[in-house]
Amino acid sequence: MEIWINPACSKCRSAVQLLDAEGADYTVRRYLEDVPSEDEIRQVLDRLGLEPWDITRTQEAAARELGVKEWARDEGTRDRWIRALAEHPKLIQRPIITADDGTAVVARTDEAVQDALSRT
């Protein structure tokens, strides 16, 4: 199990605390420092069953500068969204936990973290 976090994020810290409390075996990836490639983002999206616009933090300054709210949300623009996430990792919703069963969750709630833990 791996968790993508930004240590400054309270939801990330809460998720890590819950994983620790449950004695989970996991790896931390500080995705702002260890930036995921476009291929890694595609893999996580497949595991999440989501599209890139579903995990994009559209209120971030970089999102406003890029104008992502105006971008189409379709197969033709999917690569553009993924490229933006790879080039501006602050836009990636967090935390994301990749579960041992090949799935993933956006773990913004305790329930989502528990869901990821149940998938081991």
Side-chain angles (χ1 to χ4, degrees):
M1 179 181 312
E2 182 177 76
I3 182 169
W4 292 8
I5 69 161
N6 172 354
C9 168
S10 63
K11 300 236 184 250
C12 292
R13 292 191 306 270
S14 292
V16 167
Q17 287 173 349
L18 185 53
L19 290 173
D20 288 344
E22 294 291 330
D25 182 23
Y26 66 95
T27 303
V28 170
R29 180 171 185 169
R30 294 179 178 216
Y31 72 93
L32 297 180
E33 299 164 16
D34 183 8
V35 178
S37 68
E38 290 182 30
D39 283 341
E40 287 175 305
I41 292 169
R42 280 187 191 86
Q43 290 168 9
V44 163
L45 288 167
D46 288 345
R47 292 175 78 167
L48 287 166
L50 297 174
E51 293 296 337
W53 44 87
D54 296 326
I55 65 163
T56 299
R57 298 172 54 87
T58 59
Q59 299 303 316
E60 291 287 333
R64 287 191 301 275
E65 289 171 21
L66 293 170
V68 297
K69 281 189 175 183
E70 313 307 317
W71 293 3
R73 296 175 181 216
D74 58 30
E75 189 59 36
T77 60
R78 190 172 198 266
D79 285 343
R80 181 182 187 192
W81 284 86
I82 291 170
R83 190 170 38 259
L85 293 172
E87 291 174 0
H88 306 276
K90 264 193 150 176
L91 298 181
I92 300 172
Q93 189 59 265
R94 62 193 183 244
I96 293 175
I97 297 176
T98 56
D100 292 341
D101 71 350
T103 62
V105 296
V106 178
R108 297 189 55 76
T109 65
D110 289 351
E111 293 78 17
V113 176
Q114 290 291 350
D115 183 33
L117 285 166
S118 74
R119 299 176 186 205
T120 57

